[in-house]
Amino acid sequence: PQNQIPLLFNENLLGAERNENMVKVGILTYHRSLNYGAVMQAYCLAEEIQKRFPDVSVEIVDYMSKKMNRYYKMITIYRGKESLIHLKERIEMYKAFQKGWNELPLSDKKIISDNYEMVMKNINGKYDILISGSDAVWNFSKRGIPNPYFLMGCESSTLMSYAASCNGLAVSSFSDIASSEKEYLKKAFSAFKYIGVRDAQTEMLVKYVAPELKVFHNCDPSLLAGDLSTIDRKALINKLKKKYHFDPNKPTIAFMMSNLNGSFRAQLAKKIKEKYGEKYQTVSLYSYNKYADIPYIADLTPQEWSTIFGLFQLTISKYFHGTMFSLLNRTPVIAVSAEKSIDGMPNKISDALERMQLSDFYFSTVNSESVDWTMLLNKIDECLSMEMSSTIKNRISCGLDKERRCAESFFETLGEVIADQRKSVD
């Protein structure tokens, strides 16, 4: 379809060419969640590996815990205060995600289990190279220790991590890790050929349990997608016009927020309408916002979502990947995270924007009372200004290029491992 990122993963390109002698690369990450960014970060990492190493077999291990599988089915029915009223849209959203999952290069076997030993048994020995990450795969407060994302028990493969994160763990909680768990983590990390992390707190976790290990910073894999601003969106525009009465000729401001932003999202939509009147149409992605002109675009596949930002003049996003994919579409974005810093460490959005020298596009918005509205509205003016457009887009491009370079140490090591695997086969 014209509105989607060109797919590498289809039968014509991969299915017929796979054979037993190919180097097999497996990725263990979050991909079956109702989270656009989770799907697309998995997609982008798999696609980049396949693009750089076209003669290897790349697949995403189709694993999900039974607990999280139940959680995401329940969250389809209820998400925030308004979602019971909009159950039909939530079901449409779930179906759109199913289409998105089907476009991933998934393993033939689907594993849904909370049984750690059974999961490891189904993964161990299946891949020459096994990669953990990205996303918060190492936040063990939610999934416990042991859990599959540390790859303990898969030592028959060469183990690597890419942009793994423990996001959500407090650095101060490291001292509460039991000695047996600390030993488990040290043994797990020590088995990795390459340890790539997404943020400073994850590096601190690795260094806390195994100070002798070398740790690399990687950009989030979504940034590997490249420049999406040139994608043809005709099919997507036709869909939006037909179902949502979207006007492609009218400049658009998009909201990607949730009830975690409290009354802020309502106040923001009202202030934008008061300031600009009918000059801009407003749309809401991912969750319902009754104050937007289009309150809820529900049925986007993750691939459609990744390119829709190219239709907007500005995105205002609570979400990390909403921020990243706006940048990839060269669309100005204001990040309004309600996520607090923990132990003085920046949250994942402010951490990434700081690395890209785009910190001035970040605003902490725990509630509407905490916001400097004058500063925020001035920033919105700046982002919408035609005079500032080229400057902002150049800053975005420079920031993305700078952060993308953090992926190269991973791909250099992966190339070396693939070469060694080929020698052993020969």
Side-chain angles (χ1 to χ4, degrees), residues 141-154:
S141 66
K142 297 181 179 178
R143 292 158 190 88
I145 293 176
N147 76 62
Y149 297 99
F150 293 106
L151 306 184
M152 182 76 90
C154 294

Side-chain angles (χ1 to χ4, degrees), residues 252-348:
T252 304
I253 298 172
F255 303 128
M256 191 166 174
M257 291 180 279
S258 77
N259 60 315
L260 291 178
N261 293 97
S263 61
F264 168 75
R265 58 179 176 161
Q267 291 284 335
L268 176 66
K270 289 178 181 177
K271 285 180 182 293
I272 285 176
K273 189 60 70 175
E274 289 169 5
K275 185 175 178 65
Y276 300 108
E278 297 302 317
K279 182 178 180 181
Y280 295 92
Q281 67 182 338
T282 54
V283 304
S284 180
L285 309 177
Y286 195 53
S287 62
Y288 184 84
N289 187 336
K290 66 181 179 181
Y291 301 100
D293 296 323
I294 302 176
Y296 191 11
I297 300 179
D299 61 341
L300 296 172
T301 68
Q303 290 78 12
E304 288 173 327
W305 171 86
S306 72
T307 62
I308 196 173
F309 298 98
L311 301 177
F312 308 141
Q313 274 59 54
L314 172 67
T315 306
I316 303 173
S317 174
K318 161 196 176 290
Y319 293 96
F320 177 85
H321 284 106
T323 301
M324 295 302 111
F325 276 95
S326 292
L327 297 176
L328 288 165
N329 282 274
R330 300 305 190 271
T331 296
V333 59
I334 296 175
V336 290
S337 176
E339 188 176 321
K340 298 179 182 178
S341 61
I342 303 175
D343 296 338
M345 302 295 293
N347 64 47
K348 57 188 175 184

Side-chain angles (χ1 to χ4, degrees), residues 376-388:
L376 177 57
L377 290 170
N378 285 340
K379 193 66 181 180
I380 291 173
D381 268 343
E382 178 187 321
C383 290
L384 295 173
S385 167
M386 289 298 293
E387 291 78 13
M388 291 297 295

